[in-house]
Amino acid sequence: MRGVAGCFRVKAPSNIALIKYMGKKDSASNLPENGSISMTLEELCTYAEIQVDLRDEDGAGAWVDEAPADAPRGVRAPGLGAAGIEKILSHLGRVRGASPDLLATFGLEPSPFASGRGGFTLRSANTFPQASGIASSASSFAAVTLAMAWACAASPSDFREVYMENVEFRRALAGISRRGSGSSCRSFEGPWVGWDGDRTLALEANLPELRHLVLVVSERAKRVSSSQAHLRIKSSPLWKGRVERAETRKATLTEALRAGDLRAVARLAWSETWEMHGLFHTAEPPFTYWEPATVELLQWFSGIMEDDVEGGDLPIVTLDAGPNPHLICPASRVEGWKARIGEKFGGIRILEDRPGAGARLISATSKDRE
Ligand code: PMV
């Protein structure tokens, strides 16, 4: 940024894991116990805007409870509590502090703001309702990390060029974002992304065009945060062997994606879902994210998996750390699934999305003077 003030707008999608990140090696840096694989989404996303002003007090940062100016209509600010605001602002301090070195590594010049001059305000908003039970930390942390890094570059257009052309730059940003929220590091590329240790990687997938549905059975806030879940699952007797099983399943899924074997993908996602929720249900003390309607849906899907009458057409069904099943299927089958679900569970709210390419820059503007 060359002027005294600037405004940086980005959007970043959520992602849905088929091999789950559950259990951390290190809570400070969010290094995972096991590798994971997710599909990046497109429309279920966060819009973020950072306004920088070099005339503000050095190092100042504030969160404003409003949607960014150019976010689509109906997109809402997430209504963060004090702890959430503190977590996101402290993460932005970390991104700002790391930016001079990061930008220099990729041949980009940092702005005076990157070195601590002036302050900023953050606005962000999600396309999915706060109460829809969709985890927003992946999209939120990816979006704010990207907006802050962009604000730290002396030349927004050079930043754009490197961001678009150099996937290693995206991955380096993903590594910083991971420190705010682990799963956010998989939202920087897509559609299929693997995450091992401190690295993310795009995975080859030879699948038909897909659609993604969230079956919203509950809009209540989580009873157990994912940070708590990462810790508590280690008290389960099923934790023993979990890392090895997840790694084996991850290797098999990588191969199934490459081979375009949707049926194998569906079976792996199904077992992984039960394993993660098995850990929750057998932790000391046990906990659950399920609602009565979750159980009904799981029972219905269990029958479909068991009968396996769909030929090559088993749906991919998974649950995040929440009560709402996610279904991924070929685009050609999505209307059929929506009709079947509507018939069986009339009135259930369904959010629809598709695979996406990851976090994106929208616009950067700068002002020389008031
Ligand atoms: O990024 P976190 O710490 O909120 O972890 C979330 C992990 C799961 O969403 C439950 C699974 C995953 O891999 O996304």
Side-chain angles (χ1 to χ4, degrees):
M1 192 189 81
R2 302 215 188 267
V4 293
C7 179
F8 301 84
R9 293 184 177 139
V10 306
K11 72 184 252 198
S14 189
N15 65 71
I16 177 71
L18 298 194
I19 304 297
K20 311 291 184 181
Y21 154 54
M22 188 37 62
K24 303 180 189 188
K25 258 196 186 116
D26 171 18
S27 288
S29 56
N30 290 339
L31 287 173
E33 287 280 4
N34 60 271
S36 55
I37 295 180
S38 60
M39 190 183 85
T40 302
L41 300 174
E42 176 65 25
E43 301 292 345
L44 297 176
C45 68
T46 299
Y47 284 78
E49 168 190 295
I50 287 197
Q51 288 195 9
V52 167
D53 199 322
L54 294 184
R55 297 158 300 188
D56 284 355
E57 188 191 328
D58 289 351
W63 185 73
V64 181
D65 188 11
E66 283 170 11
D70 66 346
R73 272 158 70 95
V75 168
R76 280 157 267 208
L80 289 176
I85 296 171
E86 163 57 26
K87 188 171 174 202
I88 221 146
L89 291 179
S90 111
H91 176 68
L92 286 179
R94 168 167 48 220
V95 180
R96 191 174 173 184
S99 282
D101 282 352
L102 172 80
L103 295 171
T105 306
F106 290 89
L108 291 166
E109 194 192 326
S111 66
F113 174 69
S115 332
R117 258 195 65 201
F120 69 89
T121 48
L122 166 69
R123 287 173 173 77
S124 82
N126 301 328
T127 56
F128 42 93
Q130 167 88 345
S132 66
I134 312 304
S136 61
S137 76
S139 56
S140 303
F141 277 85
V144 303
T145 302
L146 181 57
M148 178 52 98
W150 202 9
C152 287
S155 162
S157 56
D158 288 355
F159 183 100
R160 184 186 282 278
E161 202 177 310
V162 177
Y163 186 74
M164 302 293 285
E165 283 171 12
N166 190 340
V167 72
E168 289 307 324
F169 183 47
R170 284 175 163 232
R171 290 176 185 159
L173 286 165
I176 297 179
S177 190
R178 183 197 81 227
R179 302 176 82 97
S181 152
S183 55
S184 72
C185 73
R186 296 183 310 231
S187 283
F188 282 79
E189 54 191 312
W192 292 94
V193 179
W195 168 26
D196 286 290
D198 61 358
R199 291 274 307 157
T200 48
L201 199 66
L203 298 177
E204 183 188 346
N206 293 296
L207 299 171
E209 193 188 337
L210 297 175
R211 290 290 180 271
H212 163 256
L213 303 177
V214 189
L215 315 179
V216 183
V217 305
S218 167
E219 310 195 352
R220 272 201 289 166
K222 282 186 191 181
R223 278 184 291 250
V224 176
S225 70
S226 56
S227 317
Q228 273 295 316
H230 283 293
L231 293 171
R232 277 176 54 187
I233 44 111
K234 292 192 180 177
S235 63
S236 160
L238 305 183
W239 174 248
K240 193 162 183 283
R242 159 66 186 158
V243 173
E244 294 72 17
R245 284 193 301 278
E247 292 296 349
T248 304
R249 209 176 272 135
K250 177 170 178 283
T252 318
L253 179 61
T254 303
E255 182 47 34
L257 289 171
R258 201 196 53 71
D261 187 348
L262 255 185
R263 188 181 190 72
V265 174
R267 289 232 178 275
L268 289 159
W270 184 246
S271 348
E272 177 68 2
T273 299
W274 285 94
E275 183 157 294
M276 181 172 78
H277 284 264
L279 287 167
F280 299 154
H281 288 156
T282 54
E284 227 10 279
F287 57 102
T288 187
Y289 292 100
W290 295 356
E291 298 286 340
T294 314
V295 178
E296 273 182 53
L297 276 154
L298 286 175
Q299 193 173 22
W300 185 64
F301 284 123
S302 294
I304 290 167
M305 297 289 167
E306 193 178 328
D307 296 345
D308 199 359
V309 290
E310 300 289 321
D313 241 1
L314 281 183
I316 299 167
V317 177
T318 188
L319 277 174
D320 213 29
N324 304 319
H326 293 239
L327 182 148
I328 300 168
C329 67
S332 57
R333 300 277 292 131
V334 74
E335 291 309 323
W337 280 113
K338 276 165 41 184
R340 280 180 77 177
I341 294 162
E343 216 170 89
K344 184 89 188 146
F345 304 93
I348 192 169
R349 192 149 68 103
I350 300 181
L351 304 177
E352 186 168 344
D353 204 352
R354 58 185 191 281
R360 253 177 260 164
L361 304 169
I362 301 177
S363 64
T365 49
S366 82
K367 275 198 277 184
D368 288 331
R369 64 180 71 85
E370 217 46 293

